Amino acid sequence: MFIVYPFVCSFLTGLTHYDNIHSPEFIGLENYSKMLTDRNFLKAVGVTLKYTVIFVPLKIIVSLLTALLLSINIKGIGFYRTAFYIPSILGSNLAVAIMWQYLFTSDGLVNQFLEMLGLSAVSWYGDERYALFIIILLRLWEFGSTMIIFLTAIKEIPKEYYEASRVDGCGSVRAFFSITLPLMKNTIFINVILQTISALQEFNAPYMITEGNPMKSTYTVGMLIYDEMFSYHNAGYANAISWVLLVITAVIVCIMFRITGKNRSDSL
């Protein structure tokens, strides 16, 4: 009732012209054919894929390295783990968005720091090369959940493996690549899948911080769906785009499962 029924209704609505006021008018696949020439849709897909390709590997690396640091048993480690997890609880809410906007304004703290180093201030919101970086950096700050998954997996690796490696003269770096990474392949894959799905659905951060600007360089598919539904009152087209996003996500995930299938089965 709560999953199948909305899915069916959404698919049927995508086959109509519906403005949320008048009765839906069946138009078949016109909404889908419209996407092939819709510059906003093509731009949004490009931005979303670019964001995903850059963001997901960065977040996996940052989360994994942080988890390794927090796996060390030192005094007060519980406090540090909590501190690193807090940003994930805060998320990109309005207060955080306002803080982030101030950090990257022309006279914000980031540009002030650059000027202290003798560098020129950067137009973070006016330059297409940097605007998407602000969104990526904000989401990287929220690595707590991914880090916890990695930390749990690291804790489950038997300590005997590392003790045996030290006896054989294996250093920390070699132990990481020879023991830790191979035994965490499935965990890494799970996090990659989760973060890819999340990145393809990105909406909150660009909507609150950049509103898709400049020149729609941060305009994601999620923002396009929102605008078509609530700004342009084109519910039929918005639902059609939603289904295309679902198909894109499913195809990407299936490809990832296919490519990594043998490696994942080897680590079981």
Side-chain angles (χ1 to χ4, degrees):
M1 181 172 62
F2 295 106
I3 298 178
V4 177
Y5 178 73
F7 262 63
V8 173
C9 288
S10 174
F11 178 74
L12 295 177
T13 304
L15 301 175
T16 66
H17 173 71
Y18 182 41
D19 58 5
N20 288 320
I21 300 176
H22 303 91
S23 298
E25 177 187 352
F26 181 77
I27 57 174
L29 299 177
E30 286 186 23
N31 285 326
Y32 293 94
S33 61
K34 177 183 176 181
M35 295 179 205
L36 299 176
T37 56
D38 186 350
R39 293 184 178 180
N40 287 336
F41 172 76
L42 297 176
K43 178 71 173 180
V45 170
V47 170
T48 303
L49 292 177
K50 179 181 177 181
Y51 168 78
T52 303
V53 169
I54 298 174
F55 167 72
V56 173
L58 286 177
K59 188 167 185 178
I60 294 299
I61 293 172
V62 171
S63 302
L64 180 55
L65 293 179
T66 306
L68 286 171
L69 290 175
L70 296 180
S71 65
I72 302 173
N73 291 321
I74 60 174
K75 186 177 180 179
I77 192 64
F79 168 78
Y80 293 110
R81 290 171 181 171
T82 303
F84 277 103
Y85 184 73
I86 286 177
S88 292
I89 300 175
L90 296 176
S92 53
N93 57 40
L94 184 58
V96 174
I98 293 174
M99 177 194 73
W100 217 255
Q101 285 178 327
Y102 175 72
L103 286 175
F104 291 93
T105 55
S106 58
D107 57 347
L109 293 178
V110 175
N111 277 336
Q112 290 179 25
F113 179 74
L114 291 177
E115 290 173 353
M116 287 174 57
L117 297 176
L119 302 174
S120 301
V122 176
S123 177
W124 298 102
Y125 296 110
D127 195 321
E128 295 183 38
R129 295 174 299 173
Y130 304 120
L132 192 62
F133 169 77
I134 301 174
I135 308 301
I136 294 174
L137 194 59
L138 172 59
R139 287 308 192 187
L140 280 178
W141 185 59
E142 305 165 7
F143 61 82
S145 299
T146 311
M147 175 200 71
I148 290 296
I149 297 175
F150 279 138
L151 183 59
T152 303
I154 292 173
K155 287 294 185 180
E156 290 180 352
I157 299 176
K159 294 181 180 180
E160 290 79 6
Y161 292 171
Y162 297 104
E163 293 172 356
S165 68
R166 283 194 293 269
V167 172
D168 293 336
C170 182
S172 300
V173 175
R174 185 175 178 184
F176 171 73
F177 287 101
S178 300
I179 300 175
T180 308
L181 277 184
L183 293 177
M184 290 183 62
K185 285 192 290 187
N186 285 331
T187 305
I188 294 173
F189 178 74
I190 290 172
N191 272 330
V192 170
I193 291 294
L194 293 176
Q195 294 307 314
T196 299
I197 294 173
S198 177
L200 291 171
Q201 298 175 359
E202 183 59 68
F203 169 77
N204 287 345
Y207 178 77
M208 291 190 294
I209 296 177
T210 62
E211 297 181 352
N213 296 312
M215 301 296 291
K216 294 188 180 297
S217 60
T218 59
Y219 193 67
T220 62
V221 176
M223 294 184 66
L224 176 62
I225 294 171
Y226 178 88
D227 284 341
E228 290 292 340
M229 176 67 78
F230 299 106
S231 299
Y232 310 139
H233 304 289
N234 194 350
Y237 192 47
N239 278 275
I241 296 174
S242 299
W243 272 89
V244 171
L245 178 60
L246 172 64
V247 171
I248 292 174
T249 304
V251 169
I252 291 175
V253 170
C254 287
I255 291 174
M256 294 170 68
F257 266 96
R258 181 69 176 178
I259 293 176
T260 62
K262 186 177 185 302
N263 288 331
R264 287 184 294 105
S265 61
D266 290 343
S267 63
L268 293 178

